[in-house]
Amino acid sequence: MTAPAEPTADELLGRIRVQGGVPRHVAIIMDGNGRWARERLMPRPYGHRSGMKAVRDVVEGAVESGLEVLSLFAFSQENWQRPPVEITALMSLLEEYIAREADELRDRGVRVRILGDLDRLTPAAASAVNRVVAETEHNDRLRLNLFISYGGRAELVRAAQLLARDAQAGRLVPDEITEADFQRRLYTADCPDPDLLIRTSGEQRISNFLLWQMAYTELFISPVLWPDFGRRELYEAILDYLNRERRFGRVSA
Ligand code: FPP
């Protein structure tokens, strides 16, 4: 007897639509580019280039499935410690991604935001980033957060500094600071927290991503290396999420 055929991406999308209630915000740690390249006896930047194609497919899948926010961890603060040749390759891929995709992102209604310590970007990467952010700022079909030069702890320290400055200036009373005051000073101030975090390549770590925001996020670890991840795998993760019960520390209904 032959094994039943794997459902196609469109079939999975159909199931998501029937089930309804997609997550508002999906965050992804895109991992495994290096291993994907090594399996092919190719240098690591080759894996990142293939990873860029996966980004395109997943963004389309996010639009099609009706997500509100897609957050992609593209480059961490720790990634600055990688060999210069790899950093250069990643920065030029970012420029290339924007040059290739900006028009389509704009036409598909995607609003791009770049979150992180952008002062460290090369001038060329910074100007590409500013361009796509400006060109898509009026879109509202999907919000695409690209986290670049980002670290969760650094984001929390930055929020604490902003709070301290406001307290020092008399705009806030320290004892009255609330979680909402803190949240408003994060890069993601105007975003719902992620409902679902996907990490590819089988690694089971948060890796300093969205530490505050992921307090109640559901985790989905995919064994697939990022360059092989696409809308089909995104839909599988969403369907898995739709079958979970989220309790936020409470008991079942
Ligand atoms: C982790 O894989 C991936 C990265 C550090 C970079 C992610 C970049 C892309 C997906 C391509 C560019 C993206 C955009 C948005 C232009 P790894 O290198 O740590 O893989 P490994 O764990 O197998 O070594």
Side-chain angles (χ1 to χ4, degrees):
M1 223 168 68
T2 51
E6 289 280 305
T8 64
D10 283 345
E11 281 163 354
L12 294 175
L13 181 60
R15 288 185 204 171
I16 291 173
R17 290 192 173 139
V18 168
Q19 207 152 333
V22 284
R24 291 180 71 191
H25 182 175
V26 173
I28 307 184
I29 300 179
M30 309 181 287
D31 198 6
N33 294 349
R35 277 162 282 168
W36 189 91
R38 198 172 58 221
E39 282 174 3
R40 287 157 182 80
L41 307 178
M42 295 296 280
R44 298 175 57 82
Y46 179 72
H48 295 316
R49 173 165 290 281
S50 302
M52 182 174 74
K53 294 183 192 135
V55 169
R56 180 193 171 99
D57 198 43
V58 166
V59 170
E60 283 177 13
V63 171
E64 292 305 320
S65 56
L67 302 186
E68 230 174 273
V69 187
L70 176 68
S71 287
L72 300 179
F73 200 4
F75 191 87
S76 72
Q77 280 203 327
E78 292 71 30
N79 289 156
W80 288 114
Q81 291 158 33
R82 290 193 176 197
V85 61
E86 187 170 344
I87 294 175
T88 307
L90 279 165
M91 286 299 133
S92 42
L93 265 186
L94 176 64
E95 288 170 48
E96 187 180 327
Y97 173 75
I98 292 171
R100 278 188 186 204
E101 303 290 327
D103 289 354
E104 178 145 356
L105 290 167
R106 191 194 53 226
D107 295 346
R108 281 183 155 263
V110 178
R111 178 178 183 192
V112 182
R113 298 285 301 276
I114 314 284
L115 311 181
D117 179 9
L118 303 185
D119 292 343
R120 296 186 72 177
L121 294 188
T122 58
S127 99
V129 154
N130 290 334
R131 181 172 80 86
V132 72
V133 168
E135 283 182 7
T136 62
E137 71 177 333
H138 299 297
N139 282 345
D140 60 4
R141 188 153 180 215
L142 170 76
R143 176 167 167 163
L144 174 62
N145 290 332
L146 291 180
F147 287 82
I148 296 178
S149 187
Y150 171 87
R153 287 186 174 177
E155 180 186 33
L156 296 178
V157 169
R158 178 178 169 273
Q161 288 169 342
L162 295 172
L163 283 169
R165 265 187 232 151
D166 282 344
Q168 201 170 32
R171 291 187 289 265
L172 268 178
V173 179
D175 285 345
E176 291 173 9
I177 291 171
T178 62
E179 290 189 8
D181 291 323
F182 208 102
Q183 195 267 341
R184 272 197 290 276
R185 287 160 179 84
L186 299 173
Y187 292 126
T188 52
D190 52 351
C191 268
D193 287 341
D195 300 295
L196 173 66
L197 170 77
I198 301 170
R199 181 165 189 152
T200 60
S201 86
E203 302 292 347
Q204 305 182 37
R205 287 186 295 279
I206 300 291
S207 294
N208 202 14
F209 190 37
L210 298 174
L211 297 180
W212 171 282
Q213 297 88 336
M214 292 217 277
Y216 283 101
T217 298
E218 296 290 324
L219 308 182
F220 182 91
I221 307 294
S222 166
V224 175
L225 302 178
W226 176 254
D228 291 330
F229 200 90
R231 75 182 76 194
R232 193 180 174 287
E233 289 69 26
L234 173 69
Y235 297 158
E236 278 176 344
I238 292 175
L239 280 165
D240 187 274
Y241 166 88
L242 290 177
N243 289 319
R244 297 187 191 185
E245 183 194 28
R246 300 185 74 192
R247 293 197 296 273
F248 300 96
R250 298 185 293 261
V251 291
S252 299

